Amino acid sequence: MKQRITLKYYVLDVFSNTSYKGNPLSVVFTDGDLKLEVYQNIAKEFGYSETSFVYYSTKQKALNVRSFTPMGFEIDGAGHNLLGAVSGALLKKLPIFDEQNQDNRFVIMKHSPIRLTTSLDSVTQYPIVQMHQKQAVIKYQIPTYRIAIALGLKIEDLEVNMLVPTVVQTEVAHVMVPVRTTQLLNGCIPDSKLLTEISKEYQFEGFYCFTITDESEDNIVEARFFNPIIGIHEDAATGSAAGPLIGFLTKMKYTEPNKEYQILQGVKLNQPSLIEVMCRENDILVGGFSAITMCGELYL
């Protein structure tokens, strides 16, 4: 009888320092690249919005990360899939930075290096990971009425002062959608078919719907994220969209450069997540905590 291969995995709640909040992510530890079908089958089996696969390459002196959605789509960009993967590797005590310069730490995501900074929380000893995204590129506006119809809202619900739906990109292009109030934000019911049609027509991925919060709140905005074109109905925390959003808000003078802000996401899903963001001159920082909630083995 052929011996089955065993792979270890963690399930982490990302952008949270508490289990059962944040965005759940399965992180599977491998000894190298797997067949595409194996990645896709495992991601489908877990059923989370994304599953990350990691191994340490002695040749590249870096952690390699690949991430897939349940429908088999491979993810780009520095989002919760990467933050959770790095946190899981650090919590598992993998020597992912031992051969790197302390001032130039990076991981490999789909063959491309992504810089990051790590530290340990003084109380919990959980790793804090900050991913360095590229500068935000403000691309083009999307007709407000198209998105309003797809979200079940009115045009006037989505035009907030000088903000209108705009495609912005750091690693991945998403549309930033201003929503007038948190009640409208959490009450909207998206039509996934219409959202997918808009994504295809205007060549971007997800819809990052956000409301500017009251100054008394710790978070600068509350957000929801829909990305049906890759099989994500709604995501509890989306780092690949949080980076473009803080770049957009800074460009529009709603936030200041070189100042840290927090984005609250996942409230509607009862998975509140806090994403730490900062727009700098040459890059954008997106970071936060991750907490291990489960661990186990899977068999090939």
Side-chain angles (χ1 to χ4, degrees):
M1 183 177 176
K2 185 178 179 181
Q3 188 173 3
R4 303 180 75 182
I5 297 172
T6 301
L7 299 178
K8 301 285 187 180
Y9 72 85
Y10 285 159
V11 173
L12 298 100
D13 287 310
V14 185
F15 291 118
S16 173
N17 58 5
T18 306
S19 291
Y20 310 111
K21 295 182 180 179
N23 200 355
L25 174 80
S26 44
V27 179
V28 181
F29 300 91
T30 74
D31 293 324
D33 285 324
L34 305 174
K35 292 181 179 178
L36 179 61
E37 182 183 17
V38 175
Y39 288 128
Q40 294 172 331
N41 284 340
I42 293 173
K44 180 176 67 174
E45 189 77 10
F46 275 113
Y48 296 123
S49 62
E50 294 164 25
T51 294
S52 291
F53 300 83
V54 302
Y55 71 91
Y56 183 76
S57 169
T58 54
K59 182 178 179 181
Q60 296 172 305
K61 299 180 180 179
L63 186 75
N64 276 248
V65 182
R66 296 182 70 178
S67 303
F68 293 81
T69 69
M71 66 181 291
F73 184 88
E74 186 166 8
I75 295 293
D76 263 328
H80 91 282
N81 59 304
L82 185 62
L83 189 148
V86 173
S87 297
L90 291 172
L91 289 165
K92 202 173 187 291
K93 308 298 184 185
L94 295 185
I96 63 175
F97 300 129
D98 284 8
E99 298 181 272
Q100 294 183 2
N101 186 311
Q102 188 172 357
D103 297 324
N104 185 31
R105 291 180 166 178
F106 66 94
V107 298
I108 304 295
M109 182 84 186
K110 283 186 69 175
H111 313 298
S112 298
I114 295 180
R115 288 191 59 226
L116 42 81
T117 305
T118 62
S119 59
L120 290 177
D121 182 81
S122 58
V123 177
T124 65
Q125 292 299 298
Y126 284 149
I128 304 170
V129 179
Q130 290 180 309
M131 303 171 290
H132 296 243
Q133 295 185 7
K134 300 171 186 174
Q135 290 176 298
V137 177
I138 313 297
K139 303 189 81 171
Y140 42 83
Q141 297 175 0
I142 307 293
T144 304
Y145 77 92
R146 296 285 304 276
I147 297 178
I149 292 170
L151 293 175
L153 297 174
K154 301 175 182 177
I155 292 176
E156 56 266 29
D157 296 335
L158 304 186
E159 293 181 347
V160 183
N161 298 329
M162 297 298 293
L163 300 176
V164 295
T166 304
V167 175
V168 185
Q169 180 171 3
T170 53
E171 272 79 24
V172 182
H174 300 300
V175 64
M176 306 294 110
V177 183
V179 181
R180 194 168 294 279
T181 67
T182 54
Q183 289 77 15
L184 290 168
L185 176 72
N186 289 311
C188 75
I189 302 174
D191 184 319
S192 294
K193 182 179 178 182
L194 292 179
L195 292 182
T196 300
E197 290 174 0
I198 296 169
S199 293
K200 289 179 177 178
E201 182 177 346
Y202 290 94
Q203 298 184 324
F204 64 89
E205 276 196 17
F207 297 75
Y208 208 38
C209 304
F210 68 94
T211 297
I212 306 290
T213 53
D214 188 271
E215 290 184 4
S216 64
E217 301 289 339
D218 292 334
N219 48 288
I220 182 68
V221 302
E222 184 176 334
R224 294 178 69 187
F225 181 72
F226 313 110
N227 198 354
I229 198 170
I230 64 169
I232 298 175
H233 174 67
E234 182 168 359
D235 210 14
T238 315
S240 68
L245 178 57
I246 193 63
F248 179 53
L249 292 177
T250 303
K251 179 75 172 179
M252 300 301 291
K253 309 297 184 185
Y254 274 82
T255 52
E256 301 174 22
N258 303 310
K259 181 178 178 179
E260 185 175 281
Y261 295 92
Q262 291 185 327
I263 294 172
L264 174 64
Q265 191 181 333
V267 173
K268 179 70 174 181
L269 298 174
N270 198 27
Q271 294 171 245
S273 309
L274 280 176
I275 307 170
E276 298 172 356
V277 291
M278 181 189 296
C279 184
R280 307 195 301 182
E281 183 178 357
N282 296 315
D283 63 7
I284 288 175
L285 297 182
V286 177
F289 289 95
S290 298
I292 294 178
T293 300
M294 298 179 233
C295 66
E297 299 177 341
L298 59 87
Y299 308 104
L300 302 183

